[in-house]
Amino acid sequence: MTARSVALILAISLVFAGCAPVSQPPVADPPLAAGFSRIYFYRTTFSIGSESGLFGNVARPSLSLDGKTVAETPAGSVIFCDVLPGRHEVAVRANQRYTLDLAAKPDRTHYVKLDWGMGGLTGQGHVTEVAASVGSQDIEGRPRLAATCPQAGG
Protein backbone atom coordinates (compact mmCIF):
# COMPACT_ATOMS: atom_id res chain seq x y z
CA MET A 1 0.00 0.00 0.00
CA THR A 2 1.47 3.35 -1.01
CA ALA A 3 1.72 6.40 1.24
CA ARG A 4 -0.80 8.12 -1.02
CA SER A 5 -3.34 5.30 -0.49
CA VAL A 6 -2.87 5.43 3.26
CA ALA A 7 -3.34 9.22 3.25
CA LEU A 8 -6.52 8.89 1.18
CA ILE A 9 -7.98 6.24 3.51
CA LEU A 10 -7.11 8.39 6.54
CA ALA A 11 -8.74 11.48 4.98
CA ILE A 12 -11.92 9.58 4.14
CA SER A 13 -12.04 8.14 7.68
CA LEU A 14 -11.78 11.64 9.18
CA VAL A 15 -14.62 12.92 6.99
CA PHE A 16 -16.89 10.03 7.97
CA ALA A 17 -15.97 10.46 11.64
CA GLY A 18 -17.60 13.91 11.42
CA CYS A 19 -20.74 12.24 10.04
CA ALA A 20 -21.30 10.03 13.06
CA PRO A 21 -24.70 10.37 14.68
CA VAL A 22 -25.01 12.73 17.60
CA SER A 23 -24.06 10.76 20.71
CA GLN A 24 -24.81 13.15 23.56
CA PRO A 25 -27.35 12.04 26.17
CA PRO A 26 -30.89 13.04 25.22
CA VAL A 27 -32.66 15.89 26.95
CA ALA A 28 -36.28 15.02 27.83
CA ASP A 29 -39.07 17.13 26.36
CA PRO A 30 -40.94 18.69 29.27
CA PRO A 31 -44.56 19.74 28.80
CA LEU A 32 -45.02 23.10 27.11
CA ALA A 33 -46.12 25.79 29.58
CA ALA A 34 -49.50 27.38 28.81
CA GLY A 35 -49.23 30.46 26.61
CA PHE A 36 -45.74 29.64 25.35
CA SER A 37 -44.49 28.35 21.99
CA ARG A 38 -41.94 25.59 21.45
CA ILE A 39 -39.51 25.68 18.54
CA TYR A 40 -37.69 22.51 17.52
CA PHE A 41 -34.55 23.07 15.43
CA TYR A 42 -33.16 20.03 13.67
CA ARG A 43 -30.37 19.13 11.28
CA THR A 44 -30.67 16.56 8.56
CA THR A 45 -28.40 13.52 8.55
CA PHE A 46 -25.98 12.09 5.98
CA SER A 47 -27.21 12.19 2.38
CA ILE A 48 -24.85 12.53 -0.59
CA GLY A 49 -25.97 15.02 -3.22
CA SER A 50 -28.22 17.22 -1.10
CA GLU A 51 -27.74 20.31 1.07
CA SER A 52 -27.03 17.94 3.94
CA GLY A 53 -24.44 16.02 1.94
CA LEU A 54 -21.07 14.61 2.91
CA PHE A 55 -19.14 17.81 3.66
CA GLY A 56 -22.16 19.51 5.20
CA ASN A 57 -22.19 16.86 7.91
CA VAL A 58 -18.69 17.79 9.05
CA ALA A 59 -19.80 21.40 9.67
CA ARG A 60 -21.29 22.39 13.02
CA PRO A 61 -22.96 25.73 12.25
CA SER A 62 -23.90 27.94 15.17
CA LEU A 63 -27.63 28.43 15.84
CA SER A 64 -28.90 31.66 17.37
CA LEU A 65 -32.35 32.77 18.39
CA ASP A 66 -33.10 36.49 18.64
CA GLY A 67 -29.38 37.27 18.44
CA LYS A 68 -28.32 34.91 21.26
CA THR A 69 -26.30 31.76 20.59
CA VAL A 70 -28.29 28.63 21.41
CA ALA A 71 -26.03 25.73 20.32
CA GLU A 72 -23.84 24.24 17.62
CA THR A 73 -25.82 22.07 15.23
CA PRO A 74 -24.06 18.84 14.28
CA ALA A 75 -25.72 16.67 11.65
CA GLY A 76 -28.64 14.75 13.11
CA SER A 77 -29.11 17.11 16.05
CA VAL A 78 -32.44 18.15 17.56
CA ILE A 79 -32.64 21.19 19.85
CA PHE A 80 -35.67 22.97 21.27
CA CYS A 81 -36.44 26.27 22.97
CA ASP A 82 -39.65 27.49 24.59
CA VAL A 83 -40.40 31.13 23.77
CA LEU A 84 -43.08 33.74 24.22
CA PRO A 85 -45.40 34.05 21.22
CA GLY A 86 -44.43 36.64 18.63
CA ARG A 87 -41.74 37.21 16.05
CA HIS A 88 -38.36 35.53 16.50
CA GLU A 89 -35.26 35.57 14.35
CA VAL A 90 -33.60 32.21 13.79
CA ALA A 91 -30.07 32.41 12.39
CA VAL A 92 -27.51 29.76 11.46
CA ARG A 93 -23.93 30.76 10.80
CA ALA A 94 -20.70 29.12 9.76
CA ASN A 95 -19.01 31.16 7.04
CA GLN A 96 -22.30 32.80 5.97
CA ARG A 97 -25.45 33.72 7.87
CA TYR A 98 -28.86 32.29 6.99
CA THR A 99 -31.97 33.58 8.74
CA LEU A 100 -35.66 32.88 9.16
CA ASP A 101 -38.26 35.20 10.65
CA LEU A 102 -40.59 32.95 12.64
CA ALA A 103 -44.02 34.01 13.93
CA ALA A 104 -44.47 31.83 17.04
CA LYS A 105 -48.07 31.24 18.05
CA PRO A 106 -49.19 30.56 21.64
CA ASP A 107 -49.59 26.93 22.72
CA ARG A 108 -48.14 25.74 19.43
CA THR A 109 -45.03 23.80 18.43
CA HIS A 110 -42.99 24.96 15.43
CA TYR A 111 -40.35 22.96 13.52
CA VAL A 112 -37.34 24.55 11.84
CA LYS A 113 -35.25 22.38 9.54
CA LEU A 114 -31.58 23.32 9.16
CA ASP A 115 -29.92 21.99 6.02
CA TRP A 116 -26.21 22.44 5.57
CA GLY A 117 -23.98 21.32 2.71
CA MET A 118 -21.16 22.36 0.41
CA GLY A 119 -21.48 24.53 -2.66
CA GLY A 120 -18.19 25.11 -4.43
CA LEU A 121 -15.70 25.97 -1.71
CA THR A 122 -18.18 27.41 0.78
CA GLY A 123 -20.95 26.05 2.94
CA GLN A 124 -24.53 26.59 1.87
CA GLY A 125 -27.43 26.56 4.26
CA HIS A 126 -31.18 26.65 4.33
CA VAL A 127 -33.34 27.49 7.32
CA THR A 128 -36.97 26.52 6.72
CA GLU A 129 -40.07 26.21 8.88
CA VAL A 130 -41.78 22.94 8.05
CA ALA A 131 -45.29 21.70 8.76
CA ALA A 132 -45.81 20.09 12.17
CA SER A 133 -46.76 16.80 10.49
CA VAL A 134 -43.38 16.72 8.72
CA GLY A 135 -41.22 18.08 11.54
CA SER A 136 -42.66 15.84 14.25
CA GLN A 137 -41.99 12.79 12.09
CA ASP A 138 -38.46 13.99 11.19
CA ILE A 139 -37.41 14.30 14.85
CA GLU A 140 -39.20 11.23 16.19
CA GLY A 141 -36.86 9.05 18.23
CA ARG A 142 -33.86 11.35 17.77
CA PRO A 143 -31.98 12.51 20.87
CA ARG A 144 -32.28 16.13 21.97
CA LEU A 145 -29.19 18.22 22.63
CA ALA A 146 -29.01 20.64 25.51
CA ALA A 147 -29.31 24.26 24.42
CA THR A 148 -28.83 27.68 25.95
CA CYS A 149 -32.16 29.25 25.05
CA PRO A 150 -32.82 32.94 25.59
CA GLN A 151 -34.94 33.58 28.69
CA ALA A 152 -38.57 33.78 27.64
CA GLY A 153 -39.67 37.34 28.22
CA GLY A 154 -36.14 38.51 28.95
Side-chain angles (χ1 to χ4, degrees):
M1 187 176 268
T2 67
R4 187 177 216 184
S5 298
V6 171
L8 180 60
I9 290 169
L10 181 59
I12 290 171
S13 298
L14 289 173
V15 167
F16 281 104
C19 300
V22 176
S23 61
Q24 294 183 8
V27 176
D29 298 354
L32 179 62
F36 282 79
S37 300
R38 177 163 291 161
I39 307 171
Y40 282 100
F41 309 95
Y42 67 97
R43 282 274 314 272
T44 53
T45 55
F46 182 72
S47 176
I48 292 177
S50 71
E51 291 299 334
S52 58
L54 178 62
F55 293 107
N57 283 325
V58 175
R60 297 171 92 81
S62 176
L63 168 68
S64 64
L65 180 62
D66 298 329
K68 296 179 181 163
T69 301
V70 172
E72 286 188 341
T73 57
S77 61
V78 178
I79 299 158
F80 69 88
C81 289
D82 291 343
V83 298
L84 289 173
R87 298 203 89 62
H88 295 278
E89 182 190 64
V90 176
V92 178
R93 180 177 192 87
N95 63 331
Q96 293 181 345
R97 187 170 188 259
Y98 299 90
T99 62
L100 170 71
D101 186 34
L102 180 85
K105 296 187 168 85
D107 303 311
R108 184 160 168 207
T109 300
H110 300 268
Y111 297 85
V112 176
K113 183 177 178 183
L114 313 170
D115 284 322
W116 203 262
M118 289 297 288
L121 298 176
T122 62
Q124 292 181 335
H126 295 284
V127 181
T128 311
E129 184 175 8
V130 299
S133 58
V134 173
S136 61
Q137 191 169 26
D138 286 349
I139 69 168
E140 187 175 329
R142 289 168 57 181
R144 296 352 179 209
L145 299 183
T148 307
C149 299
Q151 291 269 342

